[in-house]
Amino acid sequence: MSFRWSFPVRVAAALAAAGSAVLLCAPAAAAHSVLISSSPAKDAAVTASPAEVVLEFNEPVENRFTELAVLGPDGASHWEGGPVSVVDGRVSAPLRPLGPAGGYTIRYRVTSGDGHPVSGAIPFRLTVAGPATAAAAATMAASPAVDTSVPWWPWVTGGAVLLGTGFAVARRVARANT
């Protein structure tokens, strides 16, 4: 006497096997870019205006939607002196000579290789006043909004593949037992 599984049990077993295969073959989640160093360094005290700001990330970042601003002690004046350059994991921008002594802040927003935005602020202090005056705040262009929501179509496609695989396995098991 041979053991026979009922059809619902066979379908459930096939779906469980297919689901396990999908989960075991899933790629690892991509991590966001991480800032590993900056020039000027975080909380550094500098006596003269640096020629440029440099941010180094642990992996290449996207060239699109990159923002970099250097704000003065008043929190509103801008000191960046040209366009932002992105080369692999290095983001840089030239600076105009800094003005009043005090705390400056580098504000950045980059897009990771996985498409997620990463932003932060790096404070540093100018200990000796420079001769320059701030630029108007309108020098930074606003970037378009980035949609960070998860798309629906991979879930629908994965569900359809999983369902189809389950039915195919169940059918094969049913034929083998007849």
Side-chain angles (χ1 to χ4, degrees), residues 72-93:
D74 62 0
S77 57
H78 284 256
W79 297 92
E80 55 276 1
V84 177
S85 169
V86 178
V87 178
D88 295 326
R90 184 180 193 270
V91 177
S92 63

Side-chain angles (χ1 to χ4, degrees), residues 33-178:
S33 297
V34 175
L35 181 69
I36 55 175
S37 69
S38 67
S39 176
K42 181 178 181 181
D43 298 322
V46 296
T47 57
S49 177
E52 69 176 346
V53 169
V54 178
L55 307 176
E56 294 282 343
F57 292 89
N58 66 328
E59 63 185 16
V61 296
E62 296 288 325
N63 197 18
R64 55 195 172 133
F65 310 121
T66 300
E67 296 178 8
L68 183 73
V70 179
L71 304 177
D74 62 0
S77 57
H78 284 256
W79 297 92
E80 55 276 1
V84 177
S85 169
V86 178
V87 178
D88 295 326
R90 184 180 193 270
V91 177
S92 63
L95 285 182
R96 294 181 307 102
L98 299 181
Y104 286 77
T105 304
I106 304 165
R107 294 201 185 273
Y108 65 90
R109 180 178 168 101
V110 298
T111 305
S112 290
D114 65 358
H116 287 90
V118 175
S119 59
I122 303 162
F124 70 96
R125 178 166 291 289
L126 179 64
T127 59
V128 178
T133 58
T139 58
M140 270 195 68
S143 68
V146 178
D147 181 18
T148 59
S149 63
V150 177
W152 58 268
W153 63 266
W155 294 101
V156 172
T157 304
V161 168
L162 185 62
L163 190 61
T165 303
F167 279 124
V169 170
R171 197 166 179 197
R172 176 168 271 178
V173 168
R175 284 186 184 166
N177 288 333
T178 56

